[in-house]
């Protein structure tokens, strides 16, 4: 069976001491052991957080990495660097990266390639803005994001990826996709995987939901057959809420 994953994207939040306190609380909490917990702090804290997390089953990820291998790219972090300090997962194409840093599908495909070369697991994010949903163009848009950013991979490579569906209108807004809307899109993504890679591979890939997921709605979202966990923003900044979400399976 595919992995259940609950990943906390801390975004650009928490100073050093708050970050250490948060990971310590998460590690000290008891969590449903059928769920892989992933914390995704600002990269500057990965090393230390990984050391604390290594006493537990919690794994660590990064929020971004460069499409380049190494060299004169001021301010960037390579996949190899991120790997060398203990991260296992890396977000690719979060909507905030797409919107504020102009990351497009072509660059995201290159980032995915760098991550796989370095044995890191990409969490490939896709999602539509409200306008696209209102125009009923959301299925086309998700298909395009996956075709251009992820579906160049071969069968072995895609098996090392996780997909996160995050409707942009639900991120940080308090508005969650309904359980039905989440399942509908996750099932659609699974059908794209089936068409491209076949049933066995499609059924082995975890598809996470993200967008105002919290303890009060996680159970209903996770009850869907094609929702394999969550990518959690705001609620992952609080250990009690984050663990409650993970325990909603
Ligand atoms: P949110 O963010 O849970 O705060 O809506 C989700 C995300 O951006 O990954």
């Amino acid at each position: 069976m595919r992995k259940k994953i609950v990943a906390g994207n801390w975004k650009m939040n928490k100073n050093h001491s708050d970050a250490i306190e948060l990971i310590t609380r998460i590690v000290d909490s008891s969590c449903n052991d059928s769920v892989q917990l992933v914390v995704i702090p600002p990269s500057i804290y990965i090393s230390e957080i990984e050391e604390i997390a290594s006493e537990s089953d919690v794994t660590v990820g990064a929020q971004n990495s460069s499409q380049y291998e190494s060299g004169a790219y001021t301010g960037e972090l390579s996949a190899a660097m991120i790997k060398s300090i203990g991260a296992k997962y890396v977000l690719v194409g979060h909507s905030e990266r797409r919107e504020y840093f102009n990351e497009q599908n072509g660059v995201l495909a290159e980032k995915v390639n760098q991550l796989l070369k370095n044995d890191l697991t990409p969490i490939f994010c896709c999602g539509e803005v409200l306008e696209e949903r209102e125009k009923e163009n959301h299925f086309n848009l998700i298909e395009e994001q996956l075709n251009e950013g992820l579906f160049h991979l071969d069968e072995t490579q895609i098996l090392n990826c996780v997909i996160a569906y995050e409707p942009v209108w639900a991120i940080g807004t308090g508005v969650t996709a309904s359980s039905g809307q989440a399942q509908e899109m996750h099932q659609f993504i699974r059908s794209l995987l089936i068409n491209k890679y076949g049933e066995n591979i499609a059924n082995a890939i975890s598809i996470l939901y993200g967008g105002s997921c919290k303890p009060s709605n996680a159970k209903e979202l996770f009850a869907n057959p094609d929702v394999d966990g969550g990518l959690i923003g705001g609620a992952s900044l609080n250990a009690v809420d984050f663990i409650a979400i993970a325990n909603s399976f």
Side-chain angles (χ1 to χ4, degrees):
M1 258 318 273
R2 51 186 176 257
K3 251 191 212 168
K4 295 184 170 86
I5 300 170
V6 172
N9 173 12
W10 297 4
K11 308 192 180 181
M12 199 171 75
N13 292 298
K14 303 282 177 195
N15 63 25
H16 178 259
S17 58
D18 292 342
I20 299 305
E21 189 184 322
L22 177 55
I23 185 61
T24 307
R25 286 200 176 162
I26 290 170
V27 164
D28 288 347
S29 308
S30 64
C31 175
N32 181 345
D33 58 13
S34 69
V35 177
Q36 173 68 70
L37 272 191
V38 183
V39 295
I40 311 181
S43 290
I44 194 168
Y45 306 139
I46 288 175
S47 239
E48 211 174 332
I49 285 187
E50 201 279 328
E51 208 175 306
I52 297 168
S54 65
E55 300 156 18
S56 71
D57 294 330
V58 178
T59 55
V60 182
Q63 296 172 17
N64 182 34
S65 64
S66 175
Q67 69 268 39
Y68 302 113
E69 196 158 318
S70 66
Y73 301 103
T74 301
E76 289 290 276
L77 298 175
S78 72
M81 291 170 188
I82 287 167
K83 168 85 180 174
S84 71
I85 55 171
K88 300 269 188 311
Y89 293 85
V90 180
L91 298 181
V92 179
H94 188 281
S95 65
E96 287 148 20
R97 300 293 315 170
R98 292 177 189 262
E99 183 181 352
Y100 306 130
F101 302 94
N102 199 28
E103 291 187 1
Q104 312 212 347
N105 295 330
V107 164
L108 302 179
E110 291 171 29
K111 291 188 179 210
V112 166
N113 294 343
Q114 286 294 339
L115 295 175
L116 292 172
K117 245 201 237 173
N118 287 279
D119 291 324
L120 286 158
T121 300
I123 301 179
F124 186 87
C125 305
C126 56
E128 80 286 354
V129 296
L130 189 57
E131 201 186 348
E132 297 291 343
R133 182 166 277 265
E134 283 172 347
K135 283 194 288 188
E136 296 191 1
N137 194 37
H138 46 302
F139 293 111
N140 289 339
L141 193 102
I142 300 303
E143 187 168 2
E144 186 180 295
Q145 290 175 346
L146 291 169
N147 275 339
E148 295 181 7
L150 197 65
F151 284 3
H152 61 288
L153 299 178
D154 67 23
E155 297 182 354
T156 320
Q157 291 171 317
I158 195 84
L159 278 169
N160 289 317
C161 296
V162 171
I163 296 173
Y165 169 59
E166 298 204 301
V168 181
W169 46 271
I171 296 180
T173 58
V175 181
T176 321
S178 69
S179 169
Q181 285 170 322
Q183 170 57 20
E184 183 185 37
M185 184 58 85
H186 282 231
Q187 193 173 28
F188 174 71
I189 294 170
R190 185 98 51 213
S191 76
L192 296 176
L193 285 165
I194 292 173
N195 288 345
K196 172 87 186 160
Y197 297 102
E199 195 119 10
N200 287 347
I201 290 177
N203 285 335
I205 295 175
S206 303
I207 307 176
L208 315 183
Y209 169 79
S212 299
C213 183
K214 40 193 179 237
S216 58
N217 58 28
K219 203 178 178 80
E220 200 186 339
L221 287 162
F222 296 171
N224 286 304
D226 288 295
V227 177
D228 306 308
L231 179 54
I232 319 300
S236 74
L237 297 173
N238 175 299
V240 173
D241 287 350
F242 185 55
I243 297 296
I245 291 171
N247 286 341
S248 301
F249 267 110

